[in-house]
Amino acid sequence: MASPVVIILAAGKGQRFYDSGSTTHKLDALLNGTPVLTHVMRAVQAAGLSWHVVRPRNGTSGMGESIALGVRATKGAQGWLILPGDLPRIQPVTLQRVAQALASSPLVVPYYQGRHGHPVGFSQRYYSALVAGRDERGARDIVRQARLLGEVSELAVDDRGVIDDVDTLADLHAIARYYD
């Protein structure tokens, strides 16, 4: 079976990051000298998976629309790993593990020490639901419904990078300290 496509979500406004005192977008902020988004893209490339970045010039109305754009652009994929672009410490092996788990489960949610993380993997069966998204909730309702149907595989990972996102300058500094 073909590997899923990683949809890197990079269309958000990053308002909380600006509100925390930054003068640059969070995905362009430097973490150890490299932009946050570049860290994410390097991890995906190192994992050997196909990927598509969603970063339209004028942004989107929310995570749901960003997911819909990415999934629609890669509609022939066997599945998708939805990866926010603000997780700079995601490990390539974690991406590979979620992709592998998706081969035997319709929906895969990684967890780190009991906390839900990303990327969340969706099989092709969720195409219609994913492209219908329009709001800031992203795919949460899809995951919730899939849980009720027993279609979610929970994948324990030893990668703090699945939960360490950059929403504020304090987050950026904490991540830099944690991983130094």
Side-chain angles (χ1 to χ4, degrees):
M1 175 184 257
S3 295
V5 173
V6 180
I7 303 297
I8 303 172
L9 304 177
K13 294 175 181 67
Q15 192 59 49
R16 285 183 286 177
F17 197 71
Y18 287 116
D19 291 347
S20 73
S22 180
T23 57
T24 187
H25 192 281
K26 68 180 181 177
L27 299 181
D28 300 321
L30 298 181
L31 176 63
N32 297 336
T34 302
V36 167
L37 183 59
T38 301
H39 283 278
V40 174
M41 293 172 68
R42 285 179 179 167
V44 174
Q45 290 170 336
L49 298 170
S50 299
W51 50 278
H52 178 82
V53 177
V54 178
R55 196 171 196 186
R57 177 174 290 145
N58 296 322
T60 64
S61 63
M63 191 177 288
E65 182 182 359
S66 296
I67 292 169
L69 287 172
V71 170
R72 194 174 295 116
T74 58
K75 65 182 173 187
Q78 293 301 305
W80 302 271
L81 302 187
I82 307 301
L83 179 61
D86 65 353
L87 294 164
R89 297 302 184 185
I90 188 77
Q91 298 298 305
V93 68
T94 300
L95 297 166
Q96 293 167 340
R97 287 193 60 214
V98 174
Q100 290 166 354
L102 195 57
S104 60
S105 179
L107 202 154
V108 178
V109 178
Y111 281 82
Y112 174 78
Q113 295 185 353
R115 291 181 55 194
H116 162 264
H118 286 91
V120 176
F122 295 88
S123 68
Q124 176 61 236
R125 93 164 58 167
Y126 290 101
Y127 175 82
S128 295
L130 291 168
V131 298
R134 292 283 174 250
D135 62 17
E136 189 52 45
R137 293 184 50 78
R140 287 184 199 141
D141 292 339
I142 299 168
V143 173
R144 185 175 41 79
Q145 184 63 31
R147 276 192 200 293
L148 295 173
L149 298 172
E151 295 180 349
V152 176
S153 174
E154 296 181 0
L155 179 66
V157 298
D158 188 25
D159 177 4
R160 185 180 174 91
V162 303
I163 60 170
D164 277 346
D165 60 345
V166 176
D167 287 327
T168 65
L169 277 171
D171 293 340
L172 183 69
H173 297 308
I175 289 171
R177 281 191 308 274
Y178 187 83
Y179 289 96
D180 282 341

